[in-house]
Amino acid sequence: MRLVVLIANVALALTIRPTPVSACGGFFCSTANPVLQSAEQIIFREHGDGTVTAIVQIQYAGPAERFAWVLPVPGAPDVGVSTNMLFQRLQGRTAPVYRLATDGGTCLRTRGGVVTESSDGTGVTEAESPAVSVIDGGTVGPFDFVTIRVRPDVARPGDVAVEWLQENGYDVDDFGRERLSPYLAGGMNLIAFRLTKGRSEGSIRPIQLRYETDHPMIPIRPTAVAAAEDMGVLVWVLGPSRAFPRNYRHLVLNEALINWLNPNANYNEVVSAAADEAGGHGFVTEMAGPTGELGPLLNSNESLEELRMRFVRNEGAAIRNLILNYQDWDGFRDALATVPLPAGTTVDDLLACSDCVELADDIPDFELDDFLVTLDREVFGPIRDGEAFLREAPWITRLYTTLSASEMDVDPTFDFNADLPAVSNFHDAERVVRCDRDRGIGSAPWRIRLSTGQQIYGAGLDWPYQVGDLPAAQRIEQLQAAGPPVVTADRRDEIDAVLATGLRAESLAGGGACSTSAGNHAWAALLFLVVVWRRRV
């Protein structure tokens, strides 16, 4: 397929499967359901000195020779590479989790390299200078990159930039010249990346850029050219306090609309609907708090000392074990290239089937120290660097939204507000199921009580509400650099009115009671009190 230019990455979030549980009695049965997202993923860090670092994850489809990635930036950023594992570990620590504690009595059990031109003074006037100037360039990780400046007085600067990139070997199509023009006319530059010759799509690593700017910002407008409908945008912002969207609304989701029995089934749909209720421009704060609460991103068994112990008895077995655990990590292939392999065998052969390649217990000419140093530098070192990068900022905020192409007309910018509270990514609710030995949890009626006090009534595994039945946003707010949120819309009363119809229907059906012995005793006691009161009357 013809490569499209990605303006900020498209990536799959780390897949985490919830542990299956059968129906059980008592409040000891809790399901933890992390929400899985497919989204553009970016990490911003505000350094407090007028600069921001952005780490942008990239994924693409197509042949490596057609890879090109273009981003509007201020000035000439410092360029580096990071690791995809940083995003995966961070995703695992901050993803929204919906935990449903169930009390169901005794239920039926079921299973289930670039030459640059000088940007300094050359005595050439602005009108005489070339339309496109190269102000930086080089090679970093698997990428060649170039930063270009388009003279802002030229007509249609987006056309000029695209034509220059095409003429200089960057395989970009007419991907939105008009969308680039406002950035270039406003004084921003373009940084373009392509894979170094000989690299494959497996070599793609996140790009790290540090540049001068007042606020973290996502140049989302050019993305509209290649955007999927309701494309996710997932952002972590590191800084002195909780971050917030300056020019987008803040969304507080209606948790009664989220399918607590399987939140992955409709979470994105709820976020999309909530954003639509805010005019297409709104972010949910999925988590906010001190970075110290994230915990270590590297495990203790990923140290040089621990790794060295694996090679004491059997080097071949140790290599196979490392392939099993780390073959998908950035840099691991480079480390594996230092291992002497049997004649006619390649690293790709070993990765494809490690058991098919004969590796001795004591591999001839194998330099263990060189291998471990390379492994630590290329694979684990970037995670440690990323963790240090995170820890230097006091707070981390995770924000999420979805955008369609027509909504990508405002570039989201972010700021900080020390008056805003922390936001937990854990959401808890309690469910009471009316079941017995002849009726399983898959068909029994239930009642769920949210932390807000709202109650939802349903039966079996079906969620009673669909998007459109209820407002998706319980509140829509505008946040500022100081002070509490300004509420622009509050739908709590409207939501409660709809939930009350479910309560009335449940009451008419004789619901509301739990089949546990404690629940039956409670209702019996209440009935006895009513009878006594009537006799006294």
Side-chain angles (χ1 to χ4, degrees):
M1 60 178 287
R2 183 76 170 168
L3 176 73
V4 295
V5 176
L6 302 181
I7 303 299
N9 58 313
V10 177
L12 284 176
L14 174 65
T15 298
I16 304 174
R17 296 185 180 276
T19 303
V21 290
S22 58
C24 54
F27 275 97
F28 62 87
C29 181
S30 177
T31 58
N33 293 311
V35 171
L36 314 181
Q37 295 167 334
S38 177
E40 293 192 353
Q41 298 190 76
I42 306 171
I43 302 170
F44 284 115
R45 180 174 154 212
E46 202 268 0
H47 294 279
D49 59 358
T51 65
V52 167
T53 293
I55 304 177
V56 186
Q57 194 179 51
I58 300 171
Q59 187 179 49
Y60 79 102
E65 64 270 16
R66 294 191 179 279
F67 172 83
W69 189 83
V70 181
L71 183 71
V73 293
D78 294 332
V79 183
V81 291
S82 184
T83 173
N84 287 293
M85 192 53 60
L86 175 61
F87 286 87
Q88 292 189 9
R89 294 282 168 101
L90 197 55
Q91 167 76 353
R93 300 289 196 279
T94 62
V97 178
Y98 289 82
R99 302 184 295 196
L100 189 59
T102 297
D103 182 2
T106 303
C107 298
L108 177 68
R109 303 265 174 170
T110 58
R111 294 185 180 274
V114 178
V115 178
T116 66
E117 301 170 9
S118 172
S119 59
D120 298 327
T122 59
V124 180
T125 65
E126 180 72 5
E128 297 171 337
S129 64
V132 178
S133 300
V134 180
I135 62 174
D136 194 15
T139 300
V140 58
F143 303 106
D144 291 334
F145 75 93
V146 62
T147 304
I148 63 173
R149 174 181 297 144
V150 179
R151 215 175 62 230
D153 65 322
V154 301
R156 304 182 68 84
D159 290 359
V160 172
V162 170
E163 290 166 5
W164 187 94
L165 290 169
Q166 291 173 339
E167 292 170 359
N168 285 271
Y170 286 84
D171 189 59
V172 297
D173 291 329
D174 296 337
F175 61 95
R177 302 169 182 241
E178 293 183 1
R179 292 182 178 272
L180 288 177
S181 289
Y183 296 98
L184 301 173
M188 295 185 77
N189 301 321
L190 284 183
I191 187 167
F193 293 84
R194 63 186 175 193
L195 280 176
T196 304
K197 186 176 180 179
R199 293 283 187 161
S200 67
E201 61 180 290
S203 300
I204 295 298
R205 299 182 70 155
I207 292 171
Q208 183 168 312
L209 306 169
R210 182 167 180 171
Y211 48 87
E212 294 183 359
T213 189
D214 293 331
H215 301 285
M217 182 268 285
I218 305 174
I220 200 70
R221 285 175 287 173
T223 310
V225 177
E229 189 71 13
D230 290 328
M231 184 187 73
V233 179
L234 176 57
V235 186
W236 290 271
V237 186
L238 299 156
S241 58
R242 178 175 152 186
F244 70 92
R246 299 175 70 236
N247 53 350
Y248 276 53
R249 299 293 191 185
H250 181 251
L251 310 172
V252 178
L253 297 181
N254 170 19
E255 292 194 342
L257 193 54
I258 293 172
N259 182 349
W260 282 75
L261 305 178
N262 180 15
N264 285 306
N266 74 339
Y267 179 83
N268 269 11
E269 189 179 4
V270 173
V271 173
S272 296
D276 290 342
E277 292 169 8
H281 298 141
F283 275 89
V284 178
T285 300
E286 294 186 327
M287 177 269 178
T291 56
E293 296 179 0
L294 292 177
L297 299 185
L298 269 178
N299 299 321
S300 59
N301 62 345
E302 291 161 347
S303 66
L304 283 180
E305 295 75 15
E306 179 70 24
L307 292 171
R308 188 181 299 277
M309 294 300 297
R310 302 187 187 187
F311 288 85
V312 171
R313 294 184 178 179
N314 190 318
E315 293 178 344
I319 292 294
R320 291 191 179 92
N321 182 264
L322 291 176
I323 291 173
L324 180 65
N325 289 291
Y326 302 113
Q327 62 179 329
D328 295 327
W329 285 46
D330 292 328
F332 183 74
R333 193 182 187 284
D334 295 327
L336 205 59
T338 67
V339 179
L341 300 177
T345 302
T346 66
V347 171
D348 289 335
D349 296 333
L350 185 59
L351 287 172
C353 180
S354 62
D355 291 333
C356 303
V357 177
E358 185 176 348
L359 293 176
D361 294 352
D362 185 8
I363 301 174
D365 302 322
F366 177 46
E367 298 292 341
L368 177 60
D369 288 339
D370 291 345
F371 172 76
L372 292 179
V373 167
T374 304
L375 185 70
D376 190 66
R377 182 183 67 244
E378 299 294 334
V379 181
F380 302 125
I383 291 286
R384 281 198 304 273
D385 294 343
E387 185 164 4
F389 175 83
L390 297 178
R391 303 300 183 201
E392 290 172 2
W395 270 61
I396 182 170
T397 306
R398 171 176 166 140
L399 298 135
Y400 181 68
T401 191
T402 67
L403 292 168
S404 298
S406 61
E407 298 164 339
M408 294 180 178
D409 55 351
V410 178
D411 295 329
T413 62
F414 305 93
D415 204 348
F416 302 92
N417 181 340
D419 296 328
L420 296 176
V423 177
S424 174
N425 59 316
F426 291 96
H427 307 262
D428 294 290
E430 298 173 356
R431 176 173 59 161
V432 176
V433 183
R434 296 200 320 278
C435 60
D436 49 46
R437 296 183 183 277
D438 299 320
R439 182 168 54 181
I441 199 169
S443 59
W446 48 258
R447 180 184 77 243
I448 290 178
R449 183 181 180 86
L450 304 179
S451 61
T452 59
Q454 296 163 304
Q455 297 191 79
I456 305 160
Y457 292 84
L461 303 179
D462 296 324
W463 196 251
Y465 301 108
Q466 305 296 321
V467 170
D469 297 340
L470 294 166
Q474 181 157 290
R475 287 197 316 278
I476 300 175
E477 305 169 336
Q478 184 62 58
L479 304 183
Q480 306 171 88
V486 176
V487 178
T488 61
D490 190 334
R491 275 70 177 270
R492 175 65 186 259
D493 291 343
E494 181 182 348
I495 294 168
D496 287 350
V498 176
L499 297 181
T501 62
L503 173 61
R504 287 194 294 271
E506 180 71 8
S507 298
L508 291 174
C514 173
S515 66
T516 61
S517 58
N520 290 333
H521 292 163
W523 281 102
L526 178 60
L527 179 62
F528 174 78
L529 291 175
V530 171
V531 171
V532 171
W533 178 79
R534 285 184 175 276
R535 287 181 176 178
R536 289 183 176 179
V537 173

